[in-house]
Amino acid sequence: MVSFLLNGARVTVGDHPHLLAALREELDVTSPKDGCSPSGQCGCCTVLVDGKATVACSLALDRVAGRAVTTLEGLDPAERERYAAAFAASGALQCGFCTPGIVMRCKALLDRDGAELTREKAARHLGGHLCRCTGYHPILDAVELLARGGEGGEAPAGEAPVSPVAVGEASGGGATPVGVGSRIARYQADKLALGDKPYVDDLRVPGLLHAAVVLAEHARADVLAIDTGEAEAVAGVERVLTAADVPGERRVGLIHRDWPVFVAVGERTAYLGDVLALVVARDRETARRAAGLVRVAYRPLAPFADPLAALASDEDAVWGLEGNVLSRSAYARGDVDAALADSAHVVHEVFQTQRVEHAFLEPESTLAVPRDDGRLEVFSGGQGVWDDRRQIADVLGEPEDRILVHQVANGGAFGGKEDCANQCQTALAARLLGRPVKCTLSREESLRIHAKRHPIRIEAWAGCDAEGRLTALRTRMVGDSGPYASVGMKVLERAAGHAGGPYVWPAIDVEAVAVRTNNPVCGAFRGFGANQAQFATEGLIDRLAAACGLDGWEMRARNVVAPGATWGPGQVMDDGCQGARDCLEAVRPAWEAARAAGKAVGLGLGLKNSGLGNGFVEVAKAVVRFCEDGTVEVRHCWTEMGQGVHTVALQVAAQELGVDPARIRVVVDTSRELGAGQTTGSRGTLMGAGAVAAACRAACEDGCRVGVDYEGEHRVDWTDALGTTDRPTIHSAFGYAAQLVIMDRDTGAIERVVAAHDAGRVVNPLLCEGQVVGAVHMGLGYALSEEFPTDDQARPTATTLRQLGILRAKDVPPVDVMLLERPQPRAPYGIKGVGEIGLVPTAGAVAGALCDLDGEWRTTLPLRPATRR
Ligand code: FES
């Protein structure tokens, strides 16, 4: 037993591995979040111990005895409000999972330094904190705002109001003060900032059991036996589940049902994220300790760790799945051979991108609760409630209406929470035991299980005429998709579609193959293949520009898509594509100024589709209801993961209904079929805004009667699958971006990134800027340092957050954001979506700047630093 002061009151706790476990599991203090315990590498659990900022997950309990621990719950209300308001006003939080820890660090710094706290000093002190969403600059803005208020003082006179609901002014265009186009704070930003909005692991129910997974020890091995006896004998263990306990389907998946929820005895593992067993116990520590006692006998086999070797082999990489080619996507227009032969300049390169981890800061967590009516309630932080429900029902062998999946706002996802991670196993445990079960993955388990961004080998030939007009492109891509499909075939399809970038290629010939290996599964990740493809495209454009004697800006300007031009797979571009040239023109002054100043400069131009496209019929619905108590409910079923879809829903409703936003409640409703599909592909804002607007208009036409559910729908049903027509409309909308990376020639440091983005209509400039800055941060990491490598045994060699190469606050250069608005035809309000495009051009721009600096063309990500001359 250990006693200490918690927020001024004496508490005594039992045995726990660290202070964070005592706070969260025994004392029910949940503002400190657990992103990586017990490694102390993310900072999400930072608390004050005797006034000093300390990560609670790496502090042994006996070191706290008799000391004073302060969490956000213990700050006085005025101080809480001040921090929440500053973070909300600055856009300093998105998913919010990192924010409570950062707020506590900021409090310690401000208590010590007050108005003396500078932005630079704060950035250095935030070195122990990761934020995967914001790009850190908005956090530093909040710190500056607080510091200017003086130590413990009030916000300075003349500062913009920082109400958590309304901040700043509408951006014009006839917007209402909080409607579409307004710079308002994120919905529920105050709750997020203070750690009061629960993530799945913060949920508590009576009689809760905890589960821990047992993962494969070899990437490819026959499973000879699983002995659960020793684990079952541990006091507090309720049950150990294996494949034999699954009553329904054992393989699940978003597209192909090929991903086993448990690998059975007599089968073969396919990667190190395979689940062999699930231990359910009275508490998490017991479950995890017992999981280590499950004995599995293996016959190890040589894994397929090289996708080219897997492609060439007749042997199946994955047991039970025939062939190692997951998918092949191809299209061609024109005579590429003849066009290349006639070209004044031809370049040929092989590019290689790396595998990358999402590193969302909230590890996957699922809570399943049996209900008295026989249904099973599942609380999931996934990105697609309907897919979760279908897969859980399949595994349980039950009809879908027996499963009610609640979508809980998550602590970041970026595509990494589209597949089920532990939802099916947790639901099965709850169903079999008849008790609530929660399974929260450790950071290492999370890293091993969920899908990554594909490493893709891209071999390309590109040509242009003597004036720099592009003539032809041939691209061959091979993506390492890992063992299970996830959405790997769609990622490679998207990479193929985007292979030409936002340029006009009179002749084009593209093929992209997704290969099954025993490396980590690869699937959806912000950019969805467009990043990899356009890293190569931009490299080709720069090389051709050099061959022609043109600068990079001029080369792009001569070839950028224009309305009526034929793009990539044959799509005739609409007026929305004018945004690509708008972005180029917007960065031109900065490009010329930087070059005139002797800086090393790289330019990237990119496009990214919004929505699913490729012939899918996309339908999103929303419901608006005027309630008896005067509130207005807006119901949708999109996952809020920091991108701001709730805020978009609120702004659209405020705009259409003309009601005070304080009256509007945004509710994620999964009790009815609102048909949104996955929250993915930059589609939440586009589709969600359309659906909410339609619901509001239905309400207005009917006089907004109290108690009536007004349903609205937004439908996109005019896209074509690749290869179904000569002039397809593959995608309904694209976002565009041009980015400059400006480097100091003496130090090789990136001084500044200039990011011009066309998002169609900007629903909320504060949140839109946040998406761009956060994406640039992620794009710079992708370019320079991030990687999730594996060895020749297909074993990840990065097992902690620190090893992933994620940039910290002091590493992110200033980002100048320019938001442009070239409306998208046929889209609600002209919205294009901005979630992914922000990191598409970045790696190419960094490669260009490095080449400008030292003359070396780079083809491999992450990029080598500049050679000093
Ligand atoms: Fe920082 Fe999401 S807001 S990790």
Side-chain angles (χ1 to χ4, degrees):
M1 306 282 261
V2 171
S3 296
F4 57 92
L5 279 179
L6 174 63
N7 297 327
R10 180 158 298 282
V11 295
T12 301
V13 296
D15 193 25
H16 294 277
H18 41 68
L19 173 62
L20 181 62
L23 291 172
R24 290 184 57 85
E25 303 306 324
E26 182 168 345
L27 298 167
D28 209 14
V29 172
T30 56
S31 71
K33 307 301 180 191
D34 186 349
C36 68
S37 70
S39 72
Q41 295 182 2
C42 72
C44 295
C45 64
T46 299
V47 299
L48 303 187
V49 178
D50 291 341
K52 190 166 180 298
T54 308
V55 283
C57 78
S58 47
L59 188 61
L61 262 184
D62 56 3
R63 294 187 53 206
V64 191
R67 301 172 74 184
V69 175
T70 307
T71 68
L72 272 167
E73 289 85 348
L75 304 192
D76 78 66
E79 190 171 24
R80 282 166 56 86
E81 197 174 319
R82 202 163 59 248
Y83 278 100
F87 272 66
S90 306
L93 71 163
Q94 291 183 24
C95 78
F97 198 81
C98 70
T99 317
I102 288 175
V103 169
M104 292 310 283
R105 175 76 58 181
C106 292
K107 173 177 165 49
L109 292 172
L110 287 160
D111 285 352
R112 191 188 68 188
D113 295 354
E116 305 297 310
L117 182 61
T118 64
R119 191 179 184 91
E120 293 70 27
K121 195 189 234 181
R124 282 199 305 279
H125 282 278
L126 282 170
H129 293 260
L130 285 174
C131 174
R132 197 57 167 155
C133 302
T134 63
Y136 303 106
H137 284 296
I139 295 170
L140 299 173
D141 293 342
V143 172
E144 281 191 319
L145 183 60
L146 287 157
R148 288 207 307 275
E151 190 178 5
E154 301 302 317
E159 199 67 65
V162 290
S163 153
V165 172
V167 185
E169 300 299 322
S171 70
T176 58
V178 292
V180 173
S182 303
R183 190 179 185 85
I184 70 167
R186 176 175 302 278
Y187 183 67
Q188 297 183 325
D190 50 344
K191 284 192 171 67
L192 282 165
L194 298 171
D196 291 344
K197 190 155 193 323
Y199 302 92
V200 173
D201 194 49
D202 297 331
L203 300 174
R204 302 287 186 265
V205 291
L208 182 63
L209 298 172
H210 295 263
V213 292
V214 177
L215 299 183
E217 293 166 46
H218 302 277
R220 188 162 178 261
D222 290 330
V223 179
L224 305 178
I226 301 175
D227 180 356
T228 60
E230 204 176 333
E232 283 164 331
V234 172
V237 169
E238 295 283 335
R239 185 157 174 177
V240 181
L241 307 181
T242 65
D245 295 298
V246 176
E249 300 289 332
R250 204 152 42 74
R251 288 183 183 259
V252 298
L254 293 174
I255 298 173
H256 294 344
R257 298 179 185 200
D258 64 354
W259 196 330
V261 293
F262 292 106
V263 175
V265 173
E267 297 180 350
R268 185 175 290 172
T269 63
Y271 83 125
L272 281 154
D274 272 329
V275 179
L276 276 298
L278 186 79
V279 177
V280 188
R282 68 185 169 207
D283 59 64
R284 188 171 300 164
E285 291 313 313
T286 303
R288 287 189 174 160
R289 185 159 46 85
L293 299 174
V294 173
R295 308 296 177 204
V296 182
Y298 298 97
R299 181 189 302 121
L301 300 163
F304 284 90
D306 175 359
L308 294 180
L311 199 54
S313 176
D314 291 333
E315 190 183 352
D316 295 337
V318 185
W319 186 88
L321 300 177
E322 202 174 317
N324 295 336
V325 174
L326 170 64
S327 68
R328 193 180 297 274
S329 305
Y331 61 89
R333 285 187 289 113
D335 186 340
V336 169
D337 288 329
L340 287 177
D342 290 346
S343 295
H345 306 282
V346 175
V347 294
H348 170 217
E349 287 285 2
V350 178
F351 299 87
Q352 179 66 57
T353 71
Q354 79 280 46
R355 185 183 302 104
V356 177
E357 154 66 19
H358 305 73
F360 40 73
L361 285 187
E362 178 211 19
E364 297 90 334
S365 183
T366 301
L367 168 67
V369 184
R371 291 179 14 157
D372 291 343
D373 64 3
R375 297 169 81 192
L376 186 70
E377 275 185 299
V378 180
F379 297 82
S380 169
Q383 291 179 243
V385 61
W386 313 114
D387 287 315
D388 286 358
R389 184 181 67 174
R390 170 180 59 77
Q391 292 171 93
I392 291 167
D394 283 351
V395 169
L396 298 187
E398 298 181 16
E400 289 188 27
D401 61 8
R402 297 254 302 165
I403 315 296
L404 176 57
V405 181
H406 296 285
Q407 198 80 64
V408 181
N410 66 39
F414 311 112
K417 293 179 178 171
E418 290 191 10
D419 301 283
C420 281
N422 59 2
Q423 286 92 333
C424 297
Q425 296 93 337
T426 312
L428 176 64
R431 180 58 98 205
L432 293 179
L433 287 159
R435 291 180 59 183
V437 176
K438 184 159 64 182
C439 179
T440 301
L441 299 182
S442 70
R443 178 56 63 179
E444 185 180 351
E445 291 161 354
S446 170
L447 292 176
R448 281 169 64 174
I449 290 176
H450 69 250
K452 314 294 179 225
R453 178 181 292 146
H454 286 76
I456 303 183
R457 179 187 189 275
I458 304 168
E459 183 167 15
W461 298 258
C464 68
D465 65 18
E467 283 74 48
R469 301 208 187 275
L470 298 174
T471 53
L473 172 69
R474 170 169 289 131
T475 300
R476 295 290 178 264
M477 304 188 195
V478 177
D480 179 351
S481 226
Y484 306 125
S486 176
V487 291
M489 65 289 266
K490 292 293 164 191
V491 173
L492 268 293
E493 180 186 76
R494 195 74 82 252
H498 284 65
Y503 305 109
V504 178
W505 298 91
I508 188 167
D509 170 18
V510 178
E511 180 187 77
V513 178
V515 183
R516 292 192 194 266
T517 67
N518 300 115
N519 289 322
V521 179
C522 286
F525 190 168
R526 193 179 200 178
F528 209 84
N531 323 38
Q532 297 96 317
Q534 289 177 79
F535 166 62
T537 318
E538 292 302 276
L540 296 170
I541 295 289
D542 278 339
R543 285 157 178 77
L544 288 172
C548 295
L550 296 174
D551 76 36
W553 190 93
E554 183 60 33
M555 184 75 189
R556 287 167 174 83
R558 290 186 186 188
N559 293 285
V560 66
V561 288
T566 301
W567 170 78
Q571 175 159 352
V572 177
M573 301 298 267
D574 61 25
D575 288 351
C577 84
Q578 190 64 35
R581 180 168 288 280
D582 293 348
C583 290
L584 260 186
E585 296 291 348
V587 299
R588 186 174 193 176
W591 165 262
E592 290 176 348
R595 285 162 58 88
K599 305 294 180 185
V601 196
L603 169 60
L605 180 66
L607 86 170
K608 173 69 185 63
N609 75 295
S610 297
L612 303 178
N614 284 290
F616 279 94
V617 175
E618 298 187 66
V619 180
K621 295 180 182 175
V623 171
V624 167
R625 181 187 182 95
F626 284 75
C627 303
E628 298 277 359
D629 62 3
T631 61
V632 180
E633 273 185 6
V634 178
R635 293 179 170 264
H636 66 78
C637 66
W638 298 91
T639 303
E640 175 58 70
M641 46 192 173
Q643 83 283 39
V645 68
H646 286 355
T647 316
V648 167
L650 179 138
Q651 289 183 252
V652 169
Q655 163 109 3
E656 296 293 332
L657 301 173
V659 302
D660 180 349
R663 287 176 57 199
I664 299 174
R665 280 185 295 130
V666 183
V667 179
V668 177
D669 185 352
T670 52
S671 67
R672 64 182 102 190
E673 306 290 337
L674 295 178
Q678 291 273 337
T679 304
T680 186
S682 306
R683 63 197 284 266
T685 295
L686 175 66
M687 299 293 294
V692 173
C696 292
R697 286 166 193 161
C700 290
E701 282 168 17
D702 191 48
C704 298
R705 289 184 292 134
V706 171
V708 178
D709 282 351
Y710 295 103
E711 188 171 288
E713 174 183 299
H714 183 66
R715 174 177 288 262
V716 176
D717 56 6
W718 66 83
T719 66
D720 304 301
L722 263 181
T724 55
T725 161
D726 288 344
R727 298 178 76 76
T729 300
I730 300 291
H731 299 294
S732 66
F734 297 90
Y736 299 91
Q739 293 181 359
L740 293 184
V741 169
I742 302 171
M743 282 181 185
D744 183 285
R745 285 194 186 274
D746 294 328
T747 64
I750 298 177
E751 286 184 353
R752 183 167 295 278
V753 175
V754 179
H757 280 246
D758 167 34
R761 183 74 196 276
V762 175
V763 177
N764 183 322
L766 181 67
L767 271 56
C768 194
E769 287 163 13
Q771 286 293 304
V772 173
V773 175
V776 168
H777 156 252
M778 214 177 244
L780 290 174
Y782 186 50
L784 293 167
S785 53
E786 289 190 34
E787 192 165 14
F788 190 76
T790 45
D791 63 18
D792 61 3
Q793 293 302 302
R795 186 175 293 275
T797 54
T799 57
T800 67
L801 285 173
R802 189 172 288 148
Q803 294 169 312
L804 300 176
I806 299 168
L807 300 184
R808 304 272 171 164
K810 66 177 176 33
D811 303 323
V812 183
V815 182
D816 298 338
V817 180
M818 288 182 270
L819 297 180
L820 314 176
E821 296 189 297
R822 175 74 63 169
Q824 175 61 43
R826 303 178 76 177
Y829 306 107
I831 291 169
K832 288 177 172 168
V834 76
E836 298 170 285
I837 177 63
L839 53 66
V840 170
T842 318
V846 175
L850 284 168
C851 184
D852 192 14
L853 191 62
D854 65 10
E856 282 185 39
W857 297 114
R858 288 164 173 79
T859 54
T860 303
L861 291 176
L863 300 163
R864 284 191 320 280
T867 307
R868 309 305 286 278
R869 294 196 288 184

